[in-house]
Amino acid sequence: IIILFAIICVLVAKITNVSNFYELYTQSITALFMKIAIFFNKHNLSFFTGLLYVLFSTMLWFIGIHGTDVLESAMINVFVNGSLPYLKRPLFDSFVLMGGCGTTMCLLLSILLFSKKAGNKQLVKYAAFPMLFNINEIMLFGFPVIYNVYLLIPFLVTPLVSYSISYFAFWSGLVPQIVNYPNFTTPILYSGWYATDSFRGMLLQIFCLAVG
């Protein structure tokens, strides 16, 4: 298998003039996202640009591809260096990707509250601490979430709902605008307060977790 895919990787690199297959699909997905994002932004539909980013990233994660890394250049070009209203990096890092991709902190809380399986409870013990810092590989691959068709809909929909709620909260003025840029691994609740310099940022996180 390794030899077969090594040959495929070399052939793809030769044909497409990229260094490896990872670079090819990273560039392809980023280019696709950028084209759609430009269309949305041109027509003052920036809300859908953020929604598309969350959807693309989560779909990649579901099939085991690090969607956040793949779309990092798009994140920098569109949201970090761009001037879209309300769409700052902390909106995604602190209010959407709580517990990691898929807003999996909601899954962890659901297991704690409702699951009766001992194995699930044991998994949560190992996954909980890193997930406070938005690192959720133990949950993704241990539960598992990746390739789990029973979790596909909540895994895709929950971050989209969190994004929509957060966007509306900033757009409407219910929560003050983002003024600080906490690191992605800044713990939940503190990151919400720090990003907005207001307790309402923390309350927004709690509300999104409850809905999720």
Side-chain angles (χ1 to χ4, degrees):
I1 292 173
I2 293 172
I3 292 172
L4 172 63
F5 279 93
I7 293 171
I8 292 172
C9 190
V10 170
L11 290 174
V12 167
K14 292 291 184 183
I15 294 170
T16 60
N17 198 32
V18 296
S19 59
N20 52 63
F21 187 71
Y22 176 82
E23 184 179 334
L24 175 65
Y25 75 69
T26 298
Q27 290 182 359
S28 301
I29 293 170
T30 301
L32 176 62
F33 172 80
M34 291 298 294
K35 285 185 177 180
I36 302 174
I38 290 171
F39 172 82
F40 283 150
N41 297 341
K42 186 177 179 181
H43 293 82
N44 297 318
L45 298 171
S46 58
F47 166 81
F48 294 100
T49 303
L51 198 74
L52 184 72
Y53 171 83
V54 174
L55 179 62
F56 267 43
S57 177
T58 309
M59 288 175 64
L60 289 171
W61 268 109
F62 186 76
I63 57 175
I65 297 172
H66 199 303
T68 314
D69 276 359
V70 169
L71 291 172
E72 177 63 17
S73 62
M75 165 61 75
I76 293 172
N77 290 329
V78 178
F79 304 113
V80 176
N81 296 333
S83 57
L84 297 177
Y86 321 115
L87 293 177
K88 311 293 185 182
R89 184 164 201 154
L91 169 64
F92 303 97
D93 290 350
S94 301
F95 297 97
V96 178
L97 304 179
M98 292 179 289
C101 64
T103 322
T104 43
M105 181 57 70
C106 299
L107 175 61
L108 184 143
L109 293 173
S110 296
I111 292 172
L112 282 175
L113 293 171
F114 304 113
S115 179
K116 293 180 172 54
K117 292 185 178 180
N120 292 345
K121 297 282 190 181
Q122 189 68 24
L123 175 69
V124 164
K125 292 179 182 179
Y126 296 118
F129 184 72
M131 284 181 68
L132 288 175
F133 303 91
N134 301 321
I135 301 169
N136 66 345
E137 276 77 2
I138 293 176
M139 178 68 77
L140 289 181
F141 297 103
F143 190 69
V145 176
I146 302 300
Y147 285 119
N148 187 337
V149 294
Y150 295 103
L151 291 180
L152 173 60
I153 292 176
F155 187 70
L156 291 177
V157 172
T158 305
L160 295 178
V161 171
S162 292
Y163 165 78
S164 301
I165 292 172
S166 300
Y167 185 96
F168 175 78
F170 289 116
W171 172 80
S172 64
L174 288 172
V175 176
Q177 296 303 304
I178 292 168
V179 292
N180 297 313
Y181 286 68
N183 190 279
F184 174 72
T185 53
T186 304
I188 297 171
L189 300 186
Y190 174 70
S191 62
W193 172 82
Y194 179 70
T196 59
D197 203 19
S198 168
F199 74 96
R200 283 186 283 176
M202 183 173 62
L203 293 178
L204 175 59
Q205 287 183 314
I206 293 171
F207 183 74
C208 287
L209 287 173
V211 173

